[in-house]
Amino acid sequence: MKYFEEKVHAGEWDEVEKYLSGFTKVDDNRYSMKIFFEIRKQKYLETLDRHDRAKAVDILVKDLKVFSTFNEELYKEITQLLTLENFRENEQLSKYGDTKSARSIMLIELKKLIEANPLFREKLVFPTLKASRLRTLINQSLNWQHQLCKNPRPNPDIKTLFTDHTCSPPNGARASPVPVPLAAVPKAGASYPPLTAHTPFQTPAGPSLAGWMAAAATSSVPSAVVAASALPVPPNQAVSIMKRPTITDYQSAESEQVMKRLRPGGHGVDEATYPAPIPQTSWSVDDLPRTVVCTLPQGSSVTSMDFHPSRHTLLLVGSTNGEITLWEVGMRERLFSKPFKVWDMQACSSQFQSAVAKDSAISISRVAWNPDGDLIGVAFTKHLIHLHAYQQPNETRQVLEIDAHSGAVNDIAFSRPNKQLCVVTCGDDKLIKVWDMHGQKLFSFEGHEAPVYSICPHHKESIQFIFSTSLDGKIKAWLYDNMGSRVDYDAPGKWCTTMLYSADGTRLFSCGTSKEGDSYLVEWNESEGSIKRTYSGFRKRSAGAVVQFDTAQNHILAAGEDNQIKFWDVDSTTMISSTEAEGGLPGLPRLRFNKEGNLLAVTTVDNGFKILANADGLRTLRAFGNRPFEAFRPQFEASSMKVSGAPVVASISPNIGRMDHIDRNSPAKPSSMLNGGDPASRSIDIKPRISEERPDKAKPWELMEVLNPQQCRVATMPETPDQASKVVRLLYTNSGVGLLALGSNAIQRLWKWARNDQNPIGKATASVVPQHWQPNSGLVMQNDIADINPEEAVPCIALSKNDSYVMSACGGKVSLFNMMTFKVMTTFMPPPPASTFLAFHPQDNNIIAIGMEDSTIHIYNVRVDEVKTRLKGHQRRITGLAFSNSQQILVSSGADAQLCVWATDTWEKKKSVAIQMPAGKTPSGDTWVQFNSDWSRLLVVHETQLAIYDASKMERIYQWIPQDALSAPISHASYSRNSQLVFAAFTDGNVGIFDVENLRLRCRIAPPAYMSSAAINSNPSVYPLVVAAHPQESNQFAVGLSDGSVKVIEPLESEGKWGTTPPTENGLPNGRTSTSSATSNPTADQIQR
């Protein structure tokens, strides 16, 4: 450390990094990353302090750019420092002193990071060695060399350490040394016989496993583990090994290739070459199974689910009452249901018998199919596992009952070590066990110090291994031998974690929850032993409960959290979509994909589960349409349906025909045929059953009405000295941490939420009031209003995608502001005509579409200060602009109630569409447009209507006209973050929240819920002029009011959402089928008024 300190104080940064690189690299772990970042940041600041801008830019690009991948927002702030005359103008750097003191302060921080970094563990102090340690190592080395001799002698004559030892053959010829693979060295701690007493040696152990970098005990994002090994060499092969000690005798070529990937750090070793993966077909969010097909009652809380590996509509379900049920979800039919019972009590341990005598309640921990789909494994919360043989369609027989563990059996899985089908289990007794199909225990792995929570058997090429996780947050990896665990590290969250491989077995994921309720979903980099990416999107802290996840199609991840199903693309850390599945999900629902990934089962709060499907899944389920329980027939169809004949499905009791007909308080029973009844032909008339049960069992839908402040969360932005009389434009920052309001006085105000104990994620929330943010200079972002009355001007505003710049105008010139300093970077487009709407090109922040008061649209290049082209097609001023990335179009709207579509490659007009006005309304007034987050639908807002258009055809799909309690004109509206809701404000102060499916109203927020009585009773009355949706939180929005105030509104945490999905009768569909287009792209355009 002394040498390191000297170089830091001297500012010899290249030598500092060179010295550190002997111990760690920048991307080894978060501590290493922080160390290198602090050093390079100090180097950068010192260069800025010397006003050497060219050198600073060089450091920014070459040294600091690497950190932008992990914290883009921080990199933006560092870049912004180049624009400052003195970087101390930045609030966070205002206390930066001279260079000497700054280096001393940084060194203190570096020491703390180095001490906490696990890669420096035991390297800061020279280790103490026993005097005999060198002798022991030499003996071990020589003993190993002697074991590899082709002609080992009982009393070898070893004369030198400078060459590898070999015993001379009897005829005097010298044997060539045998190269020994590095990975074949036995595990440390093995006993070695003395050199003077050569004894027959055992087969060398399989390749050791050391792919995981150690993770700090305090790290919340530790490194990963990869495990691989062959099974122990059978005894009959040991003889051949003794005779021919070649490399391939000790380990296969595949094993060696795998080990190359698993060695620590991988330095100096080429990575193994694998066959090229099969190209993956392209996919979109429409491939996500989000359409609710049916809800089925289990009768007891569902604890585990698993789809059949080849019959993709068969779902195996385990529940808290110990019952396993097999469902054919295509017909909504129970094929069989087996309650728990002990098969042979006398064969069970006395400990189990005593536990059952004290408490007979036994629940299911896990159900699983074997890879061929002919065996069912069931793990119970007391000692036992059951294996059932399954034969289609509904026959089972008992195969094995094993008293496997002391306490609960927490997980069960199947594996094929040495091509032999085995069962792997883990339990509260801290053990992992491997059983053959005769119930014989093959292996028992000890090493965990807490109950083992989950297991994940897998293989790489011919190498078989098992991951295990325990309740103390440890992850271990085991080979099928008795050599103990190969790794021992902390999982993210350090509590309950499950691990899964992608369908093709090439990518490893884990998901877990800490005791504090924080959840982690990550992908591991196996070759480097580190976390490749951490997926964002978890928000609810649920202490004591564990998030469940699954993966499908090699590109989808799904997790149940916050009463929703959340989806990720495996290649992107940002959540791409979420669904509430029409409500009724628990806080942390369990979920399971089928093997095709086109069906998804998710548990419900009322002891049942739902089946969701994508388009392929719907087609699969339609194959059951000719049977009595078709999932796609309109509910409560008027015509009766009679079914007769011998097939199994034709003889099912009407009590279990459809979920809609089942009494949720009493689980449906298997059909009489499945219970051994007469399979003779019969006729079932379903119609009378429906008419009898519908009135009693169906719960009427109710519109959610928020009438007072106690029914929602509201945060009022702090008032400012320059507060305007009206808020005319409102935007969230794309990062979701700030809110930007443009007032009628042409001044823009910015509020930011800080990261603290009340708001640990630092995002905008109605639970915490933010701070009004201004730079230290005290500058205000005010537009050019020379010779203009801003109250009469048409304001416009747009924010760059990286939140670095905001562009706005209030009747005068367009101003481009720096969001960090509030300085005006440039002004352009002086009136007349005045600018009335602004939009950044989604792929180039230097290209701006500017709508004008004279009805033209200017395509302006900021970089060269030039109007590239002028678009003409409207008759009155431009009131809305929206780009579509996928369609490569620009849609404009005007005060003439017209929509124009422009091709962004040629800027030619492709189409012009007149908005269909309600009867008696003139085609005039401001119109606003906004694409949903996958650019397939266009929201059109006019004071007379909300409408959704098909973006590819520009045809109207849905329309909603103000009515009933929401009969006032619409003042503004916006899509929610995931495009599943529309937030609409009205001139009487009401706010309506609509489902995008048929624009059905699901919630009304009355003015008293978010406004004071003084505001409500004022003259003129106060109402929201603008609405903005949070870019990441689906149920959060903000409103800018006509009195100059700004409110952020969210549902109560206990509710989590705005009402439930309304029935199809509500709303005015335009004769088209509803199509979901919900994704979670946080960069979706925010609509402007």
Side-chain angles (χ1 to χ4, degrees):
M1 283 292 288
K2 185 177 180 181
Y3 178 79
F4 178 73
E5 291 175 16
E6 290 175 356
K7 295 303 176 184
V8 170
H9 281 302
E12 298 179 24
W13 305 120
D14 291 342
E15 181 60 26
V16 168
E17 287 207 25
K18 182 180 177 181
Y19 186 67
L20 277 175
S21 65
F23 300 91
T24 184
K25 288 184 170 48
V26 66
D27 57 352
D28 277 348
N29 59 37
R30 67 189 184 99
Y31 297 100
S32 300
M33 186 176 296
K34 177 70 171 171
I35 290 169
F36 281 96
F37 173 75
E38 290 295 332
I39 292 170
R40 295 176 185 182
K41 183 184 75 173
Q42 181 63 28
K43 178 181 175 182
Y44 177 65
L45 293 178
E46 289 183 15
T47 307
L48 286 176
D49 218 16
R50 296 194 301 268
H51 300 287
D52 188 349
R53 297 304 171 97
K55 179 65 175 176
V57 170
D58 188 61
I59 295 171
L60 186 69
V61 174
K62 293 182 179 178
D63 295 340
L64 291 169
K65 180 69 174 177
V66 65
F67 302 105
S68 65
T69 307
F70 307 96
N71 193 332
E72 187 176 357
E73 190 173 336
L74 180 60
Y75 183 72
K76 293 175 192 172
E77 290 190 34
I78 293 174
T79 305
Q80 293 289 340
L81 298 179
L82 287 169
T83 65
L84 304 178
E85 192 64 30
N86 185 341
F87 64 79
R88 295 172 181 83
E89 294 177 22
N90 183 288
E91 187 176 358
Q92 298 180 40
L93 297 172
S94 58
K95 296 182 180 180
Y96 184 95
D98 58 17
T99 299
K100 184 177 180 181
S101 61
R103 289 175 181 174
S104 298
I105 293 170
M106 181 194 67
L107 186 59
I108 294 172
E109 179 68 15
L110 290 180
K111 285 182 178 179
K112 292 178 181 177
L113 291 168
I114 289 172
E115 290 171 359
N117 195 325
L119 297 180
F120 287 89
R121 197 167 292 160
E122 300 177 357
K123 295 178 182 176
L124 301 178
V125 179
F126 195 81
T128 56
L129 298 175
K130 293 182 180 179
S132 60
R133 181 59 182 163
L134 180 59
R135 175 65 183 172
T136 300
L137 294 174
I138 292 172
N139 282 342
Q140 289 176 353
S141 173
L142 293 175
N143 185 32
W144 181 252
Q145 294 175 35
H146 186 59
Q147 288 180 1
L148 296 179
C149 288
K150 289 186 176 181
N151 302 286
R153 292 175 142 193
N155 298 300
D157 183 18
I158 302 175
K159 297 180 178 180
T160 179
L161 299 176
F162 295 105
T163 59
D164 286 347
H165 158 72
T166 56
C167 294
S168 300
N171 61 5
R174 301 190 64 83
S176 60
V178 178
V180 181
L182 175 64
V185 176
K187 185 179 178 180
S191 60
Y192 295 86
L195 290 176
T196 55
H198 178 69
T199 57
F201 64 93
Q202 296 178 348
T203 303
S208 63
L209 191 121
W212 285 21
M213 294 183 296
T218 57
S219 172
S220 62
V221 186
S223 302
V225 176
V226 174
S229 171
L231 288 170
V233 180
N236 62 344
Q237 293 184 19
V239 178
S240 65
I241 290 175
M242 293 175 65
K243 293 180 179 178
R244 305 186 309 278
T246 62
I247 293 177
T248 53
D249 285 332
Y250 292 110
Q251 60 186 68
S252 66
E254 295 100 323
S255 173
E256 171 63 11
Q257 290 299 314
V258 172
M259 287 313 303
K260 287 182 180 180
R261 301 178 67 208
L262 304 178
R263 291 170 189 159
H267 305 307
V269 183
D270 294 333
E271 272 203 7
T273 302
Y274 292 94
I278 299 172
Q280 298 294 324
T281 56
S282 60
W283 74 287
S284 71
V285 292
D286 290 333
D287 295 325
L288 299 175
R290 294 176 298 176
T291 301
V292 177
V293 176
C294 62
T295 305
L296 299 171
Q298 179 66 18
S300 180
S301 180
V302 175
T303 56
S304 180
M305 300 179 290
D306 196 21
F307 277 98
H308 193 276
S310 57
R311 294 186 61 193
H312 305 304
T313 58
L314 285 185
L315 178 65
L316 183 65
V317 178
S319 52
T320 53
N321 63 359
E323 183 178 68
I324 62 168
T325 305
L326 183 63
W327 290 86
E328 174 50 83
V329 298
M331 296 183 295
R332 305 184 181 186
E333 174 193 355
R334 292 179 193 244
L335 295 183
F336 65 73
S337 187
K338 292 189 173 296
F340 170 77
K341 67 176 181 179
V342 180
W343 296 348
D344 187 355
M345 181 64 80
Q346 298 304 315
C348 297
S349 65
S350 58
Q351 187 181 9
F352 170 74
Q353 295 182 37
S354 175
V356 172
K358 291 179 182 178
D359 180 9
S360 61
I362 294 184
S363 176
I364 289 177
S365 304
R366 177 74 188 274
V367 294
W369 291 99
N370 76 325
D372 295 330
D374 55 8
L375 280 176
I376 295 170
V378 187
F380 295 97
T381 54
K382 286 188 176 74
H383 290 249
L384 300 183
I385 65 168
H386 282 174
L387 294 185
H388 302 261
Y390 168 70
Q391 184 174 351
Q392 299 178 16
N394 55 4
E395 295 182 10
T396 62
R397 63 178 176 85
Q398 299 172 1
V399 175
L400 276 177
E401 179 179 71
I402 303 175
D403 192 334
H405 294 269
S406 177
V409 184
N410 295 321
D411 203 358
I412 185 170
F414 292 90
S415 67
R416 288 186 180 274
N418 204 25
K419 299 182 180 179
Q420 174 188 356
L421 183 64
C422 297
V423 179
V424 186
T425 62
C426 65
D428 282 352
D429 55 5
K430 308 174 186 177
L431 300 176
I432 299 101
K433 298 182 181 181
V434 182
W435 313 84
D436 67 14
M437 289 298 102
H438 301 288
Q440 297 299 312
K441 183 171 64 179
L442 301 178
F443 299 99
S444 181
F445 301 134
E446 300 182 26
H448 278 291
E449 298 178 359
V452 184
Y453 178 72
S454 71
I455 47 178
C456 178
H458 195 60
H459 65 90
K460 290 285 185 182
E461 287 86 15
S462 62
I463 313 305
Q464 303 276 343
F465 55 93
I466 304 168
F467 284 120
S468 62
T469 70
S470 56
L471 293 184
D472 57 359
K474 296 294 183 182
I475 299 178
K476 294 179 183 288
W478 315 80
L479 310 181
Y480 289 86
D481 57 24
N482 292 307
M483 302 297 291
S485 67
R486 292 332 202 246
V487 293
D488 181 3
Y489 297 108
D490 293 327
K494 300 182 183 178
W495 194 41
C496 299
T497 297
T498 53
M499 307 184 81
L500 287 176
Y501 273 90
S502 58
D504 59 7
T506 61
R507 304 177 72 166
L508 176 64
F509 306 94
S510 75
C511 183
T513 304
S514 68
K515 291 182 180 179
E516 295 75 25
D518 296 314
S519 297
Y520 304 87
L521 177 59
V522 302
E523 180 183 3
W524 299 100
N525 186 325
E526 296 185 69
S527 61
E528 297 181 6
S530 61
I531 288 181
K532 186 174 183 178
R533 55 173 59 87
T534 300
Y535 300 92
S536 61
F538 295 106
R539 65 179 294 271
K540 194 169 185 178
R541 297 170 64 89
S542 303
V546 183
V547 167
Q548 305 293 321
F549 87 117
D550 201 5
T551 179
Q553 300 180 19
N554 296 320
H555 53 238
I556 298 174
L557 288 170
E561 193 238 13
D562 195 19
N563 306 97
Q564 300 177 66
I565 305 167
K566 300 183 175 182
F567 297 96
W568 291 263
D569 181 332
V570 295
D571 295 318
S572 173
T573 59
T574 305
M575 184 172 62
I576 58 170
S577 184
S578 65
T579 178
E580 295 169 353
E582 299 181 359
L585 304 188
L588 296 173
R590 299 176 184 274
L591 48 82
R592 193 72 171 172
F593 285 105
N594 70 348
K595 299 304 180 284
E596 294 288 299
N598 56 21
L599 297 180
L600 177 64
V602 59
T603 57
T604 62
V605 293
D606 52 1
N607 297 340
F609 58 93
K610 296 188 178 189
I611 300 297
L612 286 72
N614 61 13
D616 288 339
L618 293 175
R619 283 191 290 270
T620 299
L621 295 177
R622 285 194 182 100
F624 298 90
N626 60 338
R627 303 185 182 185
F629 312 118
E630 183 186 355
F632 306 95
R633 193 175 301 278
Q635 292 185 341
F636 315 115
E637 188 173 36
S639 61
S640 64
M641 186 185 338
K642 292 184 181 289
V643 182
S644 63
V648 174
V649 297
S651 57
I652 300 171
S653 165
N655 286 338
I656 60 170
R658 294 173 57 113
M659 179 268 168
D660 308 284
H661 316 147
I662 296 174
D663 186 345
R664 290 172 179 248
N665 298 319
S666 176
K669 300 295 188 288
S671 69
S672 58
M673 179 178 177
L674 300 184
N675 288 326
D678 181 13
S681 301
R682 67 198 68 190
S683 177
I684 301 174
D685 189 347
I686 297 181
K687 179 182 176 182
R689 191 72 179 182
I690 297 174
S691 60
E692 289 170 12
E693 297 196 2
R694 172 64 177 171
D696 297 329
K697 306 304 176 186
K699 183 179 179 181
W701 175 84
E702 292 183 3
L703 172 70
M704 180 180 183
E705 298 210 83
V706 180
L707 306 177
N708 57 65
Q710 289 73 40
Q711 293 178 276
C712 65
R713 290 180 289 161
V714 179
T716 303
M717 302 302 99
E719 293 188 2
T720 60
D722 49 16
Q723 185 153 321
S725 59
K726 291 186 291 187
V727 176
V728 289
R729 296 291 181 268
L730 188 64
L731 294 173
Y732 277 97
T733 59
N734 291 297
S735 61
V737 301
L739 197 57
L740 183 66
L742 174 57
S744 56
N745 59 356
I747 293 177
Q748 289 143 108
R749 295 172 292 160
L750 177 64
W751 294 274
K752 284 188 176 181
W753 278 260
R755 190 187 300 269
N756 51 40
D757 292 340
Q758 290 75 33
N759 186 19
I761 61 173
K763 299 291 185 182
T765 173
S767 300
V768 177
V769 176
Q771 293 181 339
H772 177 235
W773 192 90
Q774 272 189 297
N776 291 333
S777 63
L779 288 176
V780 174
M781 286 191 287
Q782 183 167 16
N783 289 111
D784 166 52
I785 51 173
D787 303 322
I788 294 169
N789 181 358
E791 297 282 345
E792 298 175 358
V794 178
C796 50
I797 188 171
L799 187 63
S800 65
K801 296 300 180 186
N802 57 9
D803 292 335
S804 297
Y805 303 99
V806 62
M807 175 177 58
S808 59
C810 282
K813 296 178 182 178
V814 177
S815 300
L816 184 67
F817 295 94
N818 183 306
M819 282 283 282
M820 285 291 295
T821 65
F822 286 10
K823 289 181 178 178
V824 178
M825 307 302 291
T826 185
T827 59
F828 50 90
M829 305 298 290
S835 303
T836 56
F837 204 94
L838 302 169
F840 280 99
H841 192 286
Q843 295 177 316
D844 188 349
N845 279 336
N846 291 293
I847 303 298
I848 304 167
I850 306 175
M852 310 300 289
E853 195 170 29
D854 66 355
S855 77
T856 62
I857 301 167
H858 292 190
I859 305 302
Y860 178 75
N861 190 317
V862 178
R863 185 184 289 113
V864 297
D865 189 20
E866 178 183 57
V867 175
K868 294 179 63 178
T869 187
R870 290 175 173 82
L871 312 181
K872 297 180 180 180
H874 288 276
Q875 305 303 314
R876 301 181 65 181
R877 72 171 184 272
I878 305 300
T879 58
L881 295 169
F883 282 98
S884 169
N885 237 356
S886 61
Q887 306 282 345
Q888 292 189 323
I889 57 173
L890 169 68
V891 176
S892 60
S893 61
D896 55 1
Q898 294 281 324
L899 303 177
C900 291
V901 182
W902 313 87
T904 54
D905 51 354
T906 62
W907 298 113
E908 295 179 356
K909 186 165 73 171
K910 298 177 65 176
K911 198 169 188 178
S912 182
V913 179
I915 297 173
Q916 301 173 34
M917 305 297 291
K921 300 291 184 179
T922 58
S924 63
D926 290 356
T927 307
W928 312 285
V929 288
Q930 180 190 18
F931 279 103
N932 70 346
S933 45
D934 67 359
W935 298 289
S936 64
R937 298 285 185 266
L938 182 74
L939 174 64
V940 178
V941 182
H942 187 267
E943 65 175 9
T944 64
Q945 64 183 280
L946 299 173
I948 293 179
Y949 284 69
D950 183 325
S952 61
K953 303 175 183 177
M954 288 309 294
E955 294 178 356
R956 194 184 73 185
I957 305 172
Y958 310 125
Q959 181 187 47
W960 183 89
I961 298 171
Q963 56 193 276
D964 302 327
L966 298 178
S967 57
I970 299 168
S971 59
H972 198 222
S974 173
Y975 270 124
S976 65
R977 179 268 303 176
N978 60 5
S979 303
Q980 292 183 335
L981 302 175
V982 172
F983 303 119
F986 296 80
T987 56
D988 60 359
N990 279 296
V991 175
I993 300 174
F994 299 80
D995 265 321
V996 294
E997 303 298 333
N998 289 333
L999 285 175
R1000 294 165 292 183
L1001 179 66
R1002 65 187 290 164
C1003 178
R1004 179 179 75 91
I1005 303 176
Y1010 68 96
M1011 284 195 283
S1012 66
S1013 57
I1016 295 171
N1017 298 321
S1018 65
N1019 188 16
S1021 60
V1022 176
Y1023 65 95
L1025 286 168
V1026 282
V1027 179
H1030 192 282
Q1032 294 156 16
E1033 296 293 336
S1034 300
N1035 289 284
Q1036 184 188 135
F1037 65 94
V1039 290
L1041 305 181
S1042 57
D1043 65 353
S1045 61
V1046 177
K1047 313 272 186 177
V1048 172
I1049 306 175
E1050 287 185 283
L1052 296 174
E1053 288 188 350
S1054 59
E1055 296 284 344
K1057 60 182 179 180
W1058 298 110
T1060 58
T1061 303
T1064 56
E1065 292 80 14
N1066 191 359
L1068 296 175
N1070 195 30
R1072 296 288 299 275
T1073 304
S1074 169
T1075 302
S1076 175
S1077 58
T1079 66
S1080 298
N1081 188 343
T1083 61
D1085 293 334
Q1086 297 182 34
I1087 195 168
Q1088 300 177 28
R1089 179 176 183 269

